[in-house]
Amino acid sequence: MRAPRLPAWTATLTWKAAVFIGVMCCALAALLGILVHVSVTGQTVDDSREKALARLTDVTRLYEAGEPLPRFAGVDPPGLPDSLRALAVGGERGTVVADDRGRPTMWAAGPADGRALAVRVDYTQSAETIDALDRSILGSSVLAIGATLLVGAFAVTRVTRRLHLTAQVARRISAGDLDARVDDPRTKDPSRPQDEVATVSGALDTMASSLQSKLQSEQRFTADVAHELRTPLTGLSAAAELLPEGRPSELVRDRVRAMRGLTEDLLEISRLDARNETVDLAVHELGPLAERVVRASGTETEVRVVRDATVETDRRRLERVLGNLIANAHKHGAPPVVLTVDGPVVSVRDHGPGYPAYLLESGPQRFRTESGGKGHGLGLTIAVGQAEVIGAELLFTGAEGGGAEARLRLPEYVRFTDAAPED
């Protein structure tokens, strides 16, 4: 039988700190309470014992002188504990605290002609004093534990709040927001002492700045290379058109077109990386738009419209995403290739070997392909980037029965109809 799982909040640092502080406070309060109780009780019992023995000495003189004994003394008085009676009969003196007619009493007894001469001292006030002390210890311990828990929770919450902020910034950075920073005030003043949380926050900010700088350098390098390649490629393309017809000229033109396509893809990726793209939103019927994309691709792609939908999107960017998915299905998959529109979801499925494992796990990667060198891995990368720009979700999965399937979910446009007129 599986043990029940604890709630998620029990794993938080605040909860663990509160439990630790509570346990330590309870242990400390119990230890101090026991020490105070034992010390005060021992002192109270010693005082009562000395008082009882002093009375026993006085009563013994009276007994030996044959004078009458006071009310609190007697020979073998009723209520005398048997253990103390046996001790006195044996010729020794002793004391014991016992209950006498419902009242706590300190008894002292000694030998008297083979019997027990005993005195009693009222122990009620001493017992009440000890009980009051115990209640005070318990009450003060509860108050101290409560106050310590409140102060400890406040202190721990301040630390955990800073840790949550650091984790939040780390998640934003991993999502692509390289401008996110913790900006802990403790890290800005070198003369100010820093705790461990401030050290982690400062290290995260430093890492984010370094990462942002490196990525921006790579983006600028990619954009600069692509821009610089456009001019010679334009001239090379014009020169290739002047070559005489033949197999060599066809090969040159084909390679020039491939180079121009790669350059344009690199420029598009650099623009997507810069995250400054503007979106031209408009309302479109998804089914007819998908059919136009298929016709423009010039491929044998079947279109199925299960349920049409109206979406608000950037038509040019959506066509780019669908075009890349169709081209990838024909280049790396196998026919038949089917594009299905089911509401705001568009799926492109082929019947080839399916997506590589790395792509299913972490998404497409630039210049990485496992299809024998066909392509540069940029088409799906651009599709993912453009889908993110238009607010769509693009998922890559394996299709039932074999093959690969890319599923694009678009934000559906909802028309608000005018309210019905009142009667």
Side-chain angles (χ1 to χ4, degrees), residues 50-137:
E50 291 177 2
K51 183 178 180 180
L53 290 175
R55 285 188 176 185
L56 180 62
T57 301
D58 295 340
V59 168
T60 300
R61 292 197 194 98
L62 294 177
Y63 176 79
E64 291 174 350
E67 297 182 6
L69 301 179
R71 290 184 305 169
F72 57 82
V75 178
D76 291 332
L80 180 65
D82 294 338
S83 59
L84 186 59
R85 186 191 305 275
L87 184 67
V89 171
E92 296 183 12
R93 302 174 67 181
T95 59
V96 69
V97 177
D99 187 75
D100 182 30
R101 290 170 292 195
R103 297 173 67 88
T105 303
M106 171 68 75
W107 288 92
D113 300 327
R115 293 186 296 175
L117 176 63
V119 297
R120 58 180 179 271
V121 176
D122 188 9
Y123 195 73
T124 302
Q125 186 175 0
S126 298
E128 291 177 349
T129 300
I130 294 175
D131 291 341
L133 176 65
D134 290 341
R135 288 193 296 271
S136 299
I137 292 174

Side-chain angles (χ1 to χ4, degrees), residues 161-175 177-184 187 194-213:
R161 189 184 300 117
R162 293 166 58 199
L163 288 174
H164 284 310
L165 176 61
T166 304
Q168 218 171 30
V169 171
R171 283 191 290 267
R172 287 172 56 191
I173 293 172
S174 65
D177 184 8
L178 298 181
D179 293 323
R181 297 291 185 274
V182 180
D183 287 332
D184 194 315
T187 62
Q194 297 184 13
D195 56 10
E196 288 78 1
V197 180
T199 303
V200 172
S201 301
L204 179 64
D205 287 347
T206 302
M207 181 199 69
S209 299
S210 176
L211 179 63
Q212 184 180 35
S213 177

